[in-house]
Structure formats: C-alpha cells, structure tokens
Amino acid sequence: MTLKSLPVDAVWVRRLVTLAERPWDRAHLEDVFTRHGWARPGPGGRPEIAWGGGAGGPHSCDDEGDKGDDSGGGVGWRLELGDAPGEGAGDTYLRLPCALYWPPFDEEPEEAGDDSEDDEADEADEDDLDGDYGPAWTRRPEAARADLHAEYDRLGALIRAELGAPDETGSGEMDERWERWSRTAGEVLLELTDDINSYSHYDVIALRVSLAGPPAEV
C-alpha cells in the first residue's frame, strides 16, 4: 500500500480558492497562470494551456512533463482543466490532484498462501504505475488508508483557514468524501474519489475550483 502526495501548502490552496471570488475571462485567467508559474508564454505571447483536456489530458505546471522514464522526469504538478472561459460548453474548472493511494478502495491485495502464491502476492504488493510519477511526489510506501484520510483532513483544514466551514459535506459507500464551498463566482470542492486519469488504479484527493465566466453585457 502506497501514498503519493504533492506538497500542497497554504499558498497553493489560497491561489486556487481565491479564483472563485470573481468572474473570469480568458485573458485574466491566463495572466494568473503566467504569474503563478503554472504556464509559460507561447510563441504568440499567449500561454500554452491545455484547456479542455480534463483528466485525460491534464496541463503540466512544471518542467517535469510526463516522460515517465529514468531521466528524472515523470508526472509532476498538473491541473485538469475544463473549457477556457467563454468557450465550449462554458464549464470552466481547475482541478489539482493532490494525493494518490494504491490500491484503490475494495481492491486490497490478497493474503499470500503457499510458495506458489508468494510471487503473485509480491507482484500484487507493488504499485506498477509508481515509475510514471516524478520526484515532485512524496512517497510513503507503508501508508495505510487512514493516512490518506489524514491528508484529506490536512487539506480541508487549509481550505477552512481561507473560506471557513464548508456549505456541504458528504461521503459514499466506496470511501468517497467531499466538502463543498459556494463562493461569489463559483465553488470549491475537496474530494476523495477514484482517479479517472489512472483508470481507477488509484484513489485520489483532488481540489477542484469551478469558475463563472465574465458578467453578461447588458
């Protein structure tokens, strides 16, 4: 059982949750990406941002990329993004995967039996996607599921320090948890759920900020 987590601190939380305090247009939001170092200007001056990629095509926020080899790269800080403000279906959001836990809920490795089963058990005890993730992630190879919940609670405390108590809390049968804050121009969601990006290989803690577009012209 393993827990991987990014060092999400009060600065990261503040930068994300305060986005939901005012409506955004694309130029303003992309300027925020540049100022925070989440994106670099492209050839035409506009930041290269993977709008609309969602969980399947997240936007890399650092120089590690998604190489997943022995070069020191691998998955680092990344944001799963909805549509750019004012474009597509209008569902603009930023979602930061903060921690990953293996194995996912209800898929604990089976107990080892005789010698013929030991090799299979050893393989089952290994997180075979771990090599895809870069050094930005802190690894706890002996973590228990309680450690995953402790990380969720730590992140929740950081959000509470900024926004106060959530407007809604909930849990599900598959060990899901969520807390939701309604804000002036969107909402903030902290969730523990299955990780779509890894095809549910992990359970994930993610911080999601849904944003409203600019006010309509009268």
Side-chain angles (χ1 to χ4, degrees):
M1 289 171 276
T2 62
L3 174 65
K4 285 187 279 291
S5 60
L6 292 170
V8 179
D9 58 11
V11 174
W12 258 98
V13 168
R14 184 176 305 113
R15 287 175 172 176
L16 284 170
V17 303
T18 54
L19 292 175
E21 300 300 331
R22 55 156 289 182
W24 290 92
D25 61 32
R26 179 166 181 167
H28 284 135
L29 192 53
E30 291 187 347
D31 179 63
V32 168
F33 271 67
T34 302
R35 287 191 285 109
H36 291 339
W38 299 346
R40 295 182 177 181
R46 170 172 279 183
E48 297 180 329
I49 298 175
W51 291 114
H59 168 79
S60 177
C61 295
D62 55 26
D63 293 330
E64 292 186 15
D66 292 332
K67 290 179 284 187
D69 54 26
D70 295 330
S71 63
V75 174
W77 292 85
R78 57 187 182 174
L79 289 167
E80 300 168 0
L81 303 177
D83 294 327
E87 301 181 12
D91 185 12
T92 300
Y93 66 86
L94 293 77
R95 185 175 186 263
L96 173 68
C98 303
L100 299 167
Y101 184 80
W102 178 89
F105 183 76
D106 207 27
E107 291 192 19
E108 300 289 336
E110 295 182 1
E111 293 289 337
D114 57 33
D115 291 342
S116 64
E117 296 174 335
D118 286 344
D119 290 341
E120 294 181 6
D122 288 342
E123 291 181 6
D125 286 339
E126 295 180 0
D127 172 9
D128 58 2
L129 294 187
D130 183 63
D132 293 344
Y133 291 81
W137 296 81
T138 299
R139 290 163 169 80
R140 299 174 61 183
E142 302 301 327
R145 183 159 286 270
D147 297 308
L148 175 69
H149 284 274
E151 180 64 7
Y152 179 94
D153 292 336
R154 184 188 75 84
L155 293 167
L158 291 176
I159 302 173
R160 282 176 170 80
E162 298 291 330
L163 306 180
D167 297 296
E168 175 189 341
T169 63
S171 60
E173 295 181 354
M174 298 294 287
D175 206 33
E176 304 100 335
R177 294 175 66 182
W178 62 88
E179 298 176 343
R180 192 184 310 272
W181 290 260
S182 296
R183 308 308 296 164
T184 304
E187 70 173 26
V188 174
L189 173 68
L190 179 66
E191 59 181 343
L192 192 168
T193 186
D194 65 309
D195 180 44
I196 296 175
N197 182 273
S198 64
Y199 298 94
S200 300
H201 182 79
Y202 295 109
D203 284 344
V204 62
I205 299 172
L207 175 56
R208 188 181 192 273
V209 181
S210 298
L211 305 176
E217 296 183 4
V218 178

